[in-house]
Amino acid sequence: MIFVTTNDLKKGMRLAKPVYNKNGVLLYGRDTKLTEQGIVSIKNFSLIGIYVLEPAEPLPPMSEDDIEFERFQTMAVFSIKDDMKALLARKVPPNLNRLADMIIKNYGGGDKKISFTQNLRSPSDYVYKHSLNVAILAALISGQIKESLEEQREIVIAALLHDIGKLTILDTIACKDEPDEEEREIIKRGIMDGYNLLEYSEITPQTKRMITQFQREVYDLNTAEENEKNTSLATGILMIADEYDKLTAMKIDESPMSEIAVLKRLMADETYSDRLVNALTDSINIVVPGVCLELTNGEKGLVIRENQENLLQPVVLGFDKNIVYDLEKTGDAVQIKDIMKTMDNRIIIDKERLEEYSNKPVHS
């Protein structure tokens, strides 16, 4: 699988991932060969590029949940883009409440984990995709801790709008995770401009308060209309969702941080509530049975059993020595180094080998 920019697409290339229109209707399925008309359609969608299969490469496995998640992301990005353009024009966003309700319906139930797949981002679409994914993660976390529907709705809408101000500055600066001092000042000015746009959004005072608290904590901006010093639970959810998505996102010119590294960072930082970090890990598939890993002893491995008490210490089958390690008992000798990914940033799952080795004796 390789990523090909839109300008380099050729007739006959096979799609590795489906292509949808703004309504979520499938236009081109996986393994479809590109036609001249298909290339024109993809260019009209302003896509930076797509993943295609190598000439002799078999179609990689992709679950129905993964396919549906990508379909929803595609459809929702078009929606949030329209909303943000409306706000920039000082108009009421037309889709905001409906989109928030869709996100909560699909991901806010708190009843199952999802595979949180990160799509490739460019500077021009970074804010849209980031805002959407923060909203999805916020729905997952708030659903996991059993927030009320009204509270969830306010949290998700706050997530959708929390970075609106970044659209008022250069996109190459807006998408930076670690801006320098001068760039940080530019971002702050953009965030302030975004704060002033919120009056056109028709959001509730509580939602606006969440956004202003977030801006105070993350950007050190005193835009809040109240003098609250304590960060609310809802703002804590926004901060974790924002940080996790920002660091694990896949960009054209920058490699994402590993989910493992990000989780360790969140767990070690007292800024983030343990309860909310646990709610995040209980909502997305990270170190679950079937996931392929790199271990610190140099081996590649397969998770065959989760550790409910410590996500980072599962039971793992090491491929090289064909030994099962309980990472809760191996100490520093064998631990997780990283998660193995596909080219399009999806976690590699090996269900067949999981079934074969799930009952193998454990080596401590």
Side-chain angles (χ1 to χ4, degrees), residues 218-266:
V218 175
Y219 299 112
D220 194 28
L221 290 176
N222 188 23
T223 54
E225 295 174 349
E226 75 291 326
N227 295 317
E228 286 186 31
K229 297 298 182 183
N230 296 324
T231 301
S232 68
L233 182 70
T235 303
I237 291 173
L238 286 184
M239 291 171 62
I240 289 175
D242 176 83
E243 186 77 351
Y244 183 85
D245 180 77
K246 179 176 66 178
L247 296 179
T248 59
M250 185 169 57
K251 304 176 189 175
I252 289 179
D253 56 353
E254 191 176 334
S255 298
M257 189 181 288
S258 151
E259 286 90 346
I260 296 297
V262 174
L263 285 179
K264 289 179 178 179
R265 181 165 166 165
L266 292 175

Side-chain angles (χ1 to χ4, degrees), residues 273-311:
S273 156
D274 290 343
R275 178 191 177 198
L276 297 182
V277 173
N278 290 336
L280 171 66
T281 60
D282 288 341
S283 301
I284 56 179
N285 293 317
I286 302 177
V287 186
V288 296
V291 167
C292 295
L293 304 169
E294 294 180 51
L295 300 174
T296 53
N297 67 351
E299 282 190 80
K300 301 291 191 296
L302 176 78
V303 176
I304 59 176
R305 191 160 68 247
E306 280 185 273
N307 184 336
Q308 299 295 336
E309 300 300 321
N310 189 333
L311 177 78

Side-chain angles (χ1 to χ4, degrees), residues 6-7 9 15 18-22 25-29 32-50 74 78:
T6 301
N7 290 334
L9 293 174
L15 295 180
V19 176
Y20 302 95
N21 69 9
K22 66 183 301 180
V25 176
L26 179 67
L27 298 180
Y28 305 102
T32 298
K33 288 186 177 180
L34 277 177
T35 62
E36 295 292 348
Q37 181 182 357
I39 294 173
V40 171
S41 296
I42 290 169
K43 288 181 177 179
N44 288 339
F45 286 147
S46 300
L47 297 178
I48 54 177
I50 58 174
T74 300
F78 280 111

